[in-house]
Amino acid sequence: MTLTNAVLRHVFFAGVLLSTTSLPAAANDTPKMVSVTSTHQTDITLHEELARKDAEFFKRGFNECDFAYLDATISPALKFYHDLGGLQDKALFMQNTRQYLCGDPLHKPIRKLTEGSLTTFPLYQDGVLYGAVQHGKHQFYLREPGKTDQLTGTARFTSVWLKQENKWLLDNVLSYDHQPAETETPVNSEPHQQTDFDATITRLLQQHKVPALGLGIIENGKLVSTQVYGELTPGTVAPQNTLFKVASLTKPIVTMLTLRLVAAGKLQLDEPLSAYWTDPDIKDDPRHQLLTPRLVLKHQTGFANWRYLEADNILRFQFTPGSQHQYSGEGFEYLRRALEHKFNQSLEALAQQYVFEPAGMTDTHFWWSQGVDEARYARNHDSNGKAFDLEKYYKANAAANLISTVADYSKFMLFVMAQEQAMPSIYQDMLKHHVNIGQKHYFGLGWEIFSGFSDGQSLLLHSGRDPGVSTLAAFSPQSKNGYVIFMNGDNATPVLEQVLAQLYLGAELWQRN
């Protein structure tokens, strides 16, 4: 899965590097590599000195959250670059570190240097040492009370240290090549023969008059396969980049956008949405001031799923926000309007910046823009296999109607998993059992959560249903295994049952529903 671009709380720890800010120019400023095996005693001393600085910085700053030390050690002109979290200056870096990296001592990210990975590159101007570039690799762990530290991932870092009045200051940082931790949990206890599996899916689609199915499979945090089966029209094979309408799988996209804005320090989960938007239907009900992004993501707004389900087609509170759980597309649409008013940008523009671009998603659309190729679109079909009239939407909806490929949405799932490193505190908040909706069945932030599977695994999932549309996306935060399933027919349920039986925890999941 691909990822990138957002402000994370995991920020500097994952790495450090030189940036494009100006350093002193010199004719002899080309860095030379120095390692502990160098025969130059001065360089060995420099390497050892900065190795101690690196260890101290991550111990006191990252692991122990010593903010006085951080403030004194980081240059006022800090530029922090992160392949998942974007660019931060010192003020934003300190704010996010305090709020997210160090905001939840019960779920504390811990950094450890990969042994033997550290190298040093001195920087000279006119023969005088003015700084150094340090490069290495490190591992990140999640520390929780009473538990062994759990490896969550690795990353490379490059940092620029400047020497000012005989004191080393961290001036520029780059953190990149983030990778999730590898696990040994197989997707299936008994691997299936791919050819038999493919034939089974083809047979099921024909039997139940579902024209096409897209399937993405993730193992150990890696996208191992995407495949599209079936036909677009009789005799026309569905291409691997088939576009599907995914219905309510739109909501996880908007959830991640919201959480990334929170991670960037640009939004608070518990701030009133009334500061940015109030629907005219409820402006006279003081309870509208209780609405927050968190309540929207937990489906506790008090709204019906859609206002058209009300007898008079008017939006109203069916209960006080926060007091109950009720699934609501209106809630996500309310959030969309608030975000668009706050940031003076469209949902599409915000999603492009905070989700699509960093996740590497290039074929996902909120509506029928010019980027949607109708020749690749999987028309939706009824239970008799007859295509519905093609309905094109020309306005973004935060709760439904997203158009995507199974490859693009699988990249999104990997991006979601990557947030365990990119924004660990918010990621853990997303996984919390905020609302109990059944036996070992909960709602977190934007995702359904089922717990109690084999080996203590849990599944985060979301589904989507519309006439002729059936979609599902699920992953385990423990094993980093998951899958994406798109279908375009009303008879999708028996197909889904058989396909899930071959996928990670799928048989158990089916029994839970």
Side-chain angles (χ1 to χ4, degrees), residues 427-453 457-462 475-478 509 512:
Y427 181 84
Q428 293 300 325
D429 201 3
M430 183 183 76
L431 302 186
K432 285 181 181 177
H433 300 165
H434 289 283
V435 182
N436 189 337
I437 55 178
Q439 185 177 7
K440 297 182 180 179
H441 185 195
Y442 311 91
F443 220 95
L445 295 182
W447 293 87
E448 267 187 280
I449 303 172
F450 289 89
S451 66
F453 289 97
Q457 303 290 307
S458 62
L459 280 178
L460 268 70
L461 64 86
H462 209 293
F475 75 96
S476 167
Q478 292 83 24
L509 176 62
R512 299 282 293 274

Side-chain angles (χ1 to χ4, degrees), residues 34-52 120:
V34 180
S35 71
V36 288
T37 59
S38 171
T39 57
H40 194 298
Q41 185 60 42
T42 301
D43 291 343
I44 293 176
T45 302
L46 174 66
H47 175 85
E48 292 174 345
E49 181 179 7
L50 285 181
R52 288 192 294 270
T120 306

Side-chain angles (χ1 to χ4, degrees), residues 219-438:
E219 297 180 10
N220 301 331
K222 307 288 186 182
L223 181 59
V224 298
S225 71
T226 60
Q227 183 71 33
V228 176
Y229 303 85
E231 298 179 329
L232 287 183
T233 59
T236 302
V237 174
Q240 293 307 302
N241 62 347
T242 293
L243 290 163
F244 291 84
K245 180 182 177 182
V246 303
S248 286
L249 285 192
T250 309
K251 293 182 181 74
I253 299 284
V254 177
T255 293
M256 184 49 55
L257 164 63
T258 303
L259 296 180
R260 296 264 288 167
L261 287 168
V262 172
K266 297 184 177 183
L267 182 73
Q268 301 296 319
L269 273 173
D270 297 306
E271 65 176 300
L273 294 176
S274 59
Y276 315 114
W277 163 258
T278 299
D279 191 288
D281 285 359
I282 59 171
K283 63 181 177 60
D284 295 327
D285 189 327
R287 290 179 293 180
H288 78 267
Q289 299 177 19
L290 300 175
L291 294 171
T292 65
R294 186 187 298 276
L295 292 184
V296 171
L297 301 186
K298 294 193 298 179
H299 290 279
Q300 291 189 308
T301 59
F303 298 146
N305 191 12
W306 295 109
R307 71 183 72 198
Y308 67 75
L309 298 175
E310 301 280 10
D312 52 7
N313 197 32
I314 292 177
L315 184 68
R316 58 171 50 85
F317 290 110
Q318 297 185 346
F319 53 83
T320 299
S323 64
Q324 300 179 44
H325 171 84
Q326 180 168 273
Y327 188 82
S328 177
E330 287 287 354
F332 272 74
E333 272 288 82
Y334 202 103
L335 177 61
R336 173 182 68 81
R337 292 183 177 95
L339 294 179
E340 290 181 337
H341 279 78
K342 175 177 172 62
F343 295 104
N344 196 29
Q345 295 186 67
S346 67
L347 178 67
E348 302 95 298
L350 290 167
Q352 181 66 32
Q353 179 180 355
Y354 287 95
V355 181
F356 295 161
E357 183 176 341
M361 300 167 68
T362 59
D363 210 1
T364 298
H365 317 271
F366 280 100
W367 48 275
W368 279 80
S369 63
Q370 290 183 341
V372 179
D373 181 2
E374 188 173 341
R376 293 189 285 124
Y377 183 70
R379 294 274 296 274
N380 306 318
H381 290 68
D382 65 17
S383 58
N384 295 315
K386 180 181 177 181
F388 289 104
D389 291 338
L390 179 57
E391 185 176 4
K392 296 183 179 180
Y393 299 88
Y394 294 98
K395 182 180 179 182
N397 185 308
N401 299 337
L402 192 80
I403 299 168
S404 188
T405 65
V406 69
D408 240 29
Y409 208 93
S410 296
K411 291 177 183 178
F412 170 69
M413 296 294 284
L414 291 176
F415 185 60
V416 172
M417 294 185 209
Q419 304 313 303
E420 182 176 18
Q421 291 187 68
M423 49 183 201
S425 295
I426 291 180
Y427 181 84
Q428 293 300 325
D429 201 3
M430 183 183 76
L431 302 186
K432 285 181 181 177
H433 300 165
H434 289 283
V435 182
N436 189 337
I437 55 178

